[in-house]
């Protein structure tokens, strides 16, 4: 894409109404637009990042057999009454609204009830199991505080998956397969080494613990206690002697760390399926309960975490897997040669943002650093004479000279 055609422009000033580093940088770089606290629009560059995170999550959920669907944001009250969750004391942060007739509706903040209700029309036999469905969709939560940019939105993008199994054994297998897929997602996002499976509260219906996926960062709102040798953590919310004994963890081995929850998976047993009257017949024709699991990933929160964690004093630093473009091509007074290079990149299938604008070199460099695209390629007057271009990684200080004809293959090979 030619930058002269991109309507967003980098800003020098830090937005005054924004405390969090992720939102400050993303707004300055023109990736997001703040509508109000905790509510952000995604502009072209930001949307490219969000779509890449979505694509990784989608690939990994599909790889474990997840079937994608999309539920509705407007939710009827009656199905939530069947599980006794409509009451505000059971589910906090819920935006609710009304039809003109006065009938109350929920605005989607999670989807266990609607999903069970929908799949109930199709499942009837033990042969139907196991299966999982998921969606990637905006969720709405009336969060008390929304000062952390994309880390805590009132409208935010979540992937939520729901598994259905014929018995506990089948459920446990499905659950662990999905947990493994979660770690593949975090690994591909560059967060694998600092994201820990963390025992946490199981929710209102079960005595089992849930698993949170917590990424270590000073800006996290959660405190987890990490056993580094085991690579496992416990959320401080459940840090009691009784629980530690149950989990086989030794208090003296645990170190407190601040972290942000980037995913959460739950064992739901048969609480929702039973309450909504969804069951199946086994081989003998006997009616049996369905065992359910649910699995969330905070997609927009992950974008905020990546922006926040990898940024340096010059701006954003995107890992290659989610960068809006692979290469930022800068023309410094050598437009014909830069145009040719732009075409060569495009033909080689390299995603490139081409700064073809008439600006000072210093401005172009500063903006390039702020945007955080993994490779910067500079075509200046020298390039025409030497037949080489200056290539610099966003994470390195020095550039290397690469012959112009080698550029596409050089950039395509690099991780
Ligand atoms: P938190 O404890 O951070 O409020 P939660 O436990 O209420 O989150 P879940 O219902 O488990 O969240 O949602 C699944 C995932 O969605 C979370 O692990 C998190 O990554 C993400 N998420 C939850 N709330 C928000 C929010 N307000 N803004 C952005 N992402 C969120
Ligand atoms: Mg959670």
């Amino acid at each position: 894409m030619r930058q002269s055609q991109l309507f967003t422009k980098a800003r020098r000033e830090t937005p005054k109404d924004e405390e969090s580093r992720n939102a400050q940088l993303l707004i300055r770089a023109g990736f997001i637009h703040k509508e109000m606290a905790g509510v952000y629009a995604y502009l072209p560059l930001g949307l490219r990042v969000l779509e890449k995170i979505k694509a990784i999550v989608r690939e990994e959920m599909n790889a474990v057999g997840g079937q994608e669907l999309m539920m509705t944001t407007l939710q009827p009250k009656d199905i939530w009454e069947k599980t006794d969750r409509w009451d505000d004391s059971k589910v906090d942060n819920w935006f609710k609204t009304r039809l003109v007739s006065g009938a109350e509706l929920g605005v989607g903040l999670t989807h266990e009830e609607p999903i069970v209700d929908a799949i109930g029309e199709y499942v009837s036999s033990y042969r139907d199991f196991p299966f999982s469905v998921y969606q990637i969709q905006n969720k709405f939560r009336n969060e008390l505080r929304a000062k952390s940019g994309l880390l805590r939105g009132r409208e935010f993008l979540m992937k939520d998956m729901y598994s259905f199994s014929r018995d506990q054994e089948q459920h446990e297998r499905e659950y662990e397969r999905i947990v493994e897929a979660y770690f593949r997602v975090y690994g591909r996002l560059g967060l694998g080494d600092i994201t820990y499976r963390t025992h946490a509260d199981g929710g209102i219906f079960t005595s089992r613990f849930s698993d949170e996926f917590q990424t270590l960062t000073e800006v996290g709102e959660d405190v987890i206690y990490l056993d580094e040798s085991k690579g496992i953590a416990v959320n401080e919310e459940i840090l009691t002697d009784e629980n530690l004994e149950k989990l086989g963890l030794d208090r003296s081995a645990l170190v407190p760390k601040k972290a942000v929850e980037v995913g959460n998976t739950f064992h739901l047993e048969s609480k929702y399926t039973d309450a909504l009257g969804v069951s199946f017949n086994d081989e003998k024709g006997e009616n049996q309960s369905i065992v359910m699991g649910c699995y969330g990933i905070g997609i927009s929160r992950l974008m905020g975490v990546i922006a926040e964690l990898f940024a340096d004093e010059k701006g954003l630093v995107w890992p290659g897997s989610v960068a809006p473009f692979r290469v930022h091509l800068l023309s410094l007074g050598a437009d014909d040669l830069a145009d040719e290079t732009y075409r060569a990149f495009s033909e080689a299938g390299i995603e490139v943002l081409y700064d073809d604008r008439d600006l000072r070199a210093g401005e172009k460099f500063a903006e390039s650093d702020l945007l955080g695209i993994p490779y910067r390629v500079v075509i200046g007057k020298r390039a025409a004479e030497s037949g080489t271009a200056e290539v610099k990684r966003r994470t390195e200080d020095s550039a290397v000279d690469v012959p112009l004809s080698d550029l596409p293959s050089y950039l395509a090979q690099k991780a």
Side-chain angles (χ1 to χ4, degrees):
M1 170 172 212
R2 283 177 182 268
Q3 213 166 338
S4 57
Q5 288 168 4
L6 184 67
F7 79 87
T8 57
K9 285 164 194 65
R11 291 191 226 158
R12 227 165 261 145
E13 334 75 64
T14 299
K16 290 194 181 57
D17 60 342
E18 197 59 72
E19 294 171 21
S20 72
R21 174 158 130 125
N22 70 84
Q24 286 178 352
L25 285 169
L26 290 165
I27 290 170
R28 280 187 53 212
F31 282 58
I32 61 174
H33 166 76
K34 184 176 190 173
E35 287 289 332
M36 57 183 122
V39 182
Y40 299 91
Y42 292 83
L43 303 178
L45 295 176
L47 186 60
R48 290 180 75 99
V49 175
L50 198 68
E51 290 296 332
K52 290 198 175 176
I53 301 173
K54 274 165 77 171
I56 289 172
V57 171
R58 183 175 277 135
E59 262 178 52
E60 296 299 343
M61 295 306 112
N62 289 347
V64 287
Q67 302 175 51
E68 188 170 2
L69 46 67
M70 192 166 79
M71 301 304 290
T72 64
T73 293
L74 296 181
Q75 303 176 331
K77 174 179 169 182
D78 59 326
I79 51 175
W80 295 85
E81 284 178 330
K82 289 186 187 157
T83 58
D84 194 24
R85 287 218 294 174
W86 180 257
D87 188 341
D88 286 338
S89 65
K90 302 281 170 51
V91 179
D92 58 0
N93 299 339
W94 207 344
F95 283 110
K96 289 177 179 170
T97 188
R98 282 177 194 279
L99 293 177
V100 178
S101 67
E104 286 181 286
L105 298 177
V107 177
L109 85 171
T110 186
H111 282 81
E112 286 81 9
E113 283 80 348
I115 292 261
V116 172
D117 192 49
I119 64 109
E121 295 197 25
Y122 298 93
V123 299
S124 55
S125 154
Y126 66 93
R127 293 189 196 86
D128 295 331
F129 301 95
F131 70 95
S132 311
V133 298
Y134 74 95
Q135 58 178 347
I136 297 175
Q137 183 213 46
N138 271 359
K139 296 280 191 277
F140 300 84
R141 293 187 184 178
N142 203 350
E143 302 280 1
L144 187 60
R145 272 179 292 279
K147 292 184 177 167
S148 315
L150 295 190
L151 303 188
R152 184 169 298 285
R154 297 197 166 108
E155 174 174 348
F156 61 96
L157 193 64
M158 193 201 285
K159 183 282 307 180
D160 45 325
M161 176 136 126
Y162 305 85
S163 71
F164 300 91
S165 299
R166 62 169 297 177
D167 53 33
Q168 200 58 36
E169 196 188 324
Q170 194 175 65
H171 164 76
E172 300 296 334
R173 266 201 308 275
E174 286 304 295
Y175 187 92
E176 289 304 321
R177 265 170 16 95
I178 295 167
V179 166
E180 284 168 23
Y182 268 45
F183 278 109
R184 285 193 287 275
V185 168
Y186 302 126
R188 290 176 67 179
L189 297 176
L191 301 171
D193 295 344
I194 47 168
T195 301
Y196 292 92
R197 186 170 180 170
T198 305
H199 298 289
D201 186 59
I204 54 176
F205 287 149
T206 159
S207 56
R208 289 267 304 260
F209 297 117
S210 74
D211 289 294
E212 289 177 347
F213 298 82
Q214 293 276 3
T215 302
L216 302 186
T217 160
E218 277 307 304
V219 301
E221 292 178 11
D222 292 4
V223 175
I224 63 168
Y225 281 77
L226 176 62
D227 181 333
E228 251 155 311
S229 66
K230 293 197 171 117
I232 288 182
V234 191
N235 193 310
E236 72 170 349
E237 289 167 2
I238 62 153
L239 194 74
T240 63
D241 288 335
E242 192 192 339
N243 283 340
L244 289 180
E245 199 184 318
K246 235 195 264 176
L247 295 165
L249 290 169
D250 178 3
R251 196 182 273 271
S252 65
L254 299 176
V255 183
K257 302 265 185 193
K258 288 180 93 175
V260 58
E261 182 194 316
V262 292
N264 202 177
T265 60
F266 294 85
H267 302 279
L268 302 179
E269 303 168 7
S270 301
K271 297 297 179 335
Y272 293 85
T273 41
D274 284 352
L276 286 154
V278 179
S279 58
F280 71 95
N281 285 336
D282 67 13
E283 288 88 334
K284 295 186 198 118
E286 276 165 28
N287 198 251
Q288 302 288 353
S289 284
I290 298 170
V291 183
M292 190 174 170
C294 78
Y295 314 82
I297 286 187
I299 300 212
S300 51
R301 177 176 286 184
L302 276 166
M303 178 167 161
V305 169
I306 293 167
E308 183 96 29
L309 268 178
F310 298 133
D312 62 16
E313 68 291 344
K314 293 182 191 149
L316 296 161
V317 179
W318 297 108
S321 57
V322 301
F325 293 92
R326 183 169 182 74
V327 178
H328 199 185
L329 174 66
L330 273 49
S331 171
L332 297 183
D335 289 349
D336 287 345
L337 194 54
D339 278 359
E340 218 176 280
T341 310
Y342 175 55
R343 275 194 302 275
F345 285 171
S346 304
E347 274 161 28
I350 295 169
E351 290 179 303
V352 51
L353 180 66
Y354 172 26
D355 193 348
D356 56 342
R357 300 169 303 169
D358 188 15
L359 293 176
R360 284 188 305 107
E363 260 176 274
K364 287 196 176 188
F365 287 141
E367 182 159 343
S368 183
D369 282 338
L370 176 62
L371 300 190
I373 294 169
Y375 288 93
R376 187 187 78 191
V377 175
V378 177
I379 307 274
K381 297 224 172 65
R382 204 166 57 85
E385 292 152 20
S386 66
T388 61
E390 218 181 70
V391 179
K392 192 184 92 60
R393 283 186 96 128
R394 176 64 181 79
T395 49
E396 283 168 12
D397 291 327
S398 52
V400 292
D401 286 326
V402 178
L404 290 170
S405 54
D406 293 351
L407 274 178
S409 59
Y410 179 87
L411 291 162
Q413 277 168 23
K414 296 265 159 171

